[in-house]
Amino acid sequence: MLRKVTPFTPAGRKRIRRRCPDPAQPTTGWAWASLPDDIARQVAALVLKYDTVDYIALRAVCSGWRGCASTPRDPTLRTRLSVRSTGSIPLCDGDAVRPDDACQITFIHCKTARSLRVRLTELQRHRIIGFTDGLVILLHKRRTKIRVLHPFTGVAVDFPSLVPVYHKLIKNRTCVLRMNAAVCSSVCVSPTTSIAVVAWFPWSSVVLSPDAGHPSWQWQVIYNSMDLSNTLTFQGQLYGFMQSSRQIVQVYPLKPLNTVVDHVP
């Protein structure tokens, strides 16, 4: 009489079930959580040198690594970690959808070419008016307040509303919606922030910047007749190109004598 064989099992063999290792049991080998603190700090410093996103992921490994690496959430955006170490630039998706409508921005790292799509709920009520060193500059669609946002840490610095300046100098809503802005290093000592925002508008020669050292901290007109066509931020300073005079000027910080840096032939 023939013996029945279990389907999908070779005759005369028993099915062997592999057991998953018990996480409670100690594993042999090196435990990364027991890495010495001084070595963990050196590893964190090297990771921070290349990418802020990887640095945030490193701090999430365990409590020991989190204690060896300082937090990237600086409410003043004062440290180098918060402002200058992201190494990422924003990209357009090419699907005819603005990032503020999609509530997400795609970044690519300059050194590793790795792309990362970040979802930001703050974009629902704001309009993107500029990027500087990985920081996102937003304009509130109703209150016209300026907000500088770190897309990876969520730290934000708010600036005053443009309403007083709008009624006096701009008087054009389309001009405000298409404005541009850049983040620079502030020349004023303030306990709340160490950054300054410089804003300029199309079809207008007015350049604005809020003075953190002013008691009311309102937007101030720093130039009345500067028609900027292209701008560049470098080491916390803002430079611009004036199409009419073919001059390269230093926009911020202000130069007391001459703002012209060079001429374009």
Side-chain angles (χ1 to χ4, degrees):
M1 186 175 181
L2 299 178
R3 184 177 57 181
K4 293 184 178 180
V5 181
T6 305
F8 306 106
T9 304
R13 293 184 182 180
K14 293 183 179 181
R15 180 177 296 179
I16 301 176
R17 296 182 179 181
R18 296 183 178 180
R19 299 179 60 184
C20 298
D22 189 1
Q25 296 294 331
T27 57
T28 59
W30 181 261
W32 286 99
S34 62
L35 195 68
D37 293 346
D38 55 345
I39 299 180
R41 293 189 185 95
Q42 294 180 9
V43 173
L46 292 175
V47 173
L48 175 60
K49 183 179 179 181
Y50 291 98
D51 192 5
T52 306
V53 179
D54 291 340
Y55 179 80
I56 297 175
L58 181 142
R59 295 186 73 252
V61 172
C62 60
S63 59
W65 286 18
R66 190 180 302 110
C68 296
S70 59
T71 175
R73 294 183 59 85
D74 180 17
T76 63
L77 293 178
R78 179 179 290 108
T79 62
R80 178 179 175 83
L81 166 65
S82 299
V83 182
R84 303 288 180 243
S85 300
T86 56
S88 301
I89 57 176
L91 294 178
C92 297
D93 294 335
D95 54 0
V97 178
R98 295 195 305 268
D100 47 356
D101 293 335
C103 294
Q104 57 186 5
I105 304 176
T106 302
F107 291 88
I108 183 171
H109 198 270
C110 301
K111 295 182 179 180
T112 62
R114 183 183 64 176
S115 61
L116 178 64
R117 180 167 294 184
V118 182
R119 182 169 180 82
L120 301 172
T121 57
E122 292 84 354
L123 300 182
Q124 295 179 354
R125 301 174 300 274
H126 294 81
R127 184 180 182 88
I128 300 175
I129 58 176
F131 296 92
T132 303
D133 296 332
L135 298 177
V136 186
I137 311 173
L138 304 174
L139 171 68
H140 198 280
K141 296 180 180 179
R142 289 187 177 182
R143 302 176 183 176
T144 66
K145 288 186 176 182
I146 303 296
R147 167 172 290 186
V148 179
L149 175 68
H150 196 299
F152 303 127
T153 63
V155 176
V157 176
D158 293 325
F159 287 83
S161 174
L162 291 170
V163 172
V165 182
Y166 171 80
H167 290 292
K168 293 181 179 179
L169 300 175
I170 310 301
K171 300 179 181 180
N172 189 339
R173 180 173 177 81
T174 305
C175 189
V176 174
L177 292 178
R178 296 187 179 183
M179 64 178 291
N180 299 283
V183 178
C184 302
S185 299
S186 177
V187 296
C188 301
V189 179
S190 174
T192 57
T193 180
S194 66
I195 61 175
V197 174
V198 181
W200 60 99
F201 308 85
W203 316 300
S204 177
S205 58
V206 176
V207 180
L208 306 175
S209 179
D211 189 357
H214 196 272
S216 59
W217 197 35
Q218 298 296 327
W219 290 87
Q220 305 292 328
V221 179
I222 58 177
Y223 296 104
N224 285 317
S225 58
M226 180 174 288
D227 189 9
L228 299 174
S229 58
N230 293 297
T231 57
L232 173 67
T233 55
F234 180 70
Q235 294 183 352
Q237 299 179 353
L238 178 63
Y239 299 89
F241 174 69
M242 300 178 62
Q243 184 69 32
S244 57
S245 60
R246 308 289 296 178
Q247 293 177 343
I248 300 176
V249 296
Q250 178 176 319
V251 182
Y252 193 91
L254 303 178
K255 296 181 66 175
L257 297 179
N258 188 13
T259 61
V260 178
V261 178
D262 202 351
H263 292 77
V264 178

